Amino acid sequence: YFAELVEVIHEAAENRKLLTEFLLDLWTPTEIREMSKRWQIVKMLRDKVPQNKIARKLGVSIVTVSRGSREMSNRAGGFQAMLRKLDI
C-alpha cells in the first residue's frame, strides 16, 4: 500500500494545487499539523537547535524530536536527501 501511496503523491507533485487538495483530503487536520511539525523538527535539528527547545517551541514530546534526530543521523536517509535537494 505504501508504494502505491508514494506513486500517487509523485504523480500529484507535478501540480501543487492537486497535491495540496489530495493531502488535505488524505490527512485529518491533526495529522496535517503533526506532519508539518515533523518537517519543522528536521529543519531545526539541521540548524543545531537543542532538542528540548524544539520540543517546547513546537509543543511536541522529546520522544518525537529524538526520533527525528535518529533519522537525521542517517546521512543516506530521506530527511538528509530532501534537505540537500531543497538546498536548505
Side-chain angles (χ1 to χ4, degrees):
Y1 299 122
F2 181 70
E4 181 180 1
L5 179 59
V6 169
E7 183 60 31
V8 168
I9 291 171
H10 174 75
E11 289 298 321
E14 296 175 9
N15 180 324
R16 183 182 296 256
K17 185 175 187 290
L18 174 59
L19 179 59
T20 299
E21 290 173 2
F22 176 71
L23 293 177
L24 288 172
D25 287 348
L26 182 65
W27 292 334
T28 67
T30 299
E31 290 167 332
I32 291 167
R33 280 191 301 277
E34 293 305 311
M35 292 297 170
S36 299
K37 285 180 183 180
R38 287 186 184 188
W39 182 241
Q40 295 311 304
I41 290 168
V42 168
K43 294 189 309 179
M44 293 171 85
L45 288 167
R46 180 230 26 226
D47 292 340
K48 308 288 190 231
V49 176
Q51 291 186 26
N52 59 349
K53 185 174 181 180
I54 294 171
R56 278 194 316 273
K57 180 175 172 84
L58 297 178
V60 298
S61 73
I62 195 70
V63 172
T64 300
V65 179
S66 295
R67 181 187 181 282
S69 181
R70 274 194 314 276
E71 295 302 323
M72 285 287 288
S73 68
N74 178 3
R75 292 278 178 205
F79 286 155
Q80 295 286 350
M82 188 56 70
L83 289 168
R84 284 190 301 274
K85 179 178 175 60
L86 297 174
D87 196 27
I88 58 173

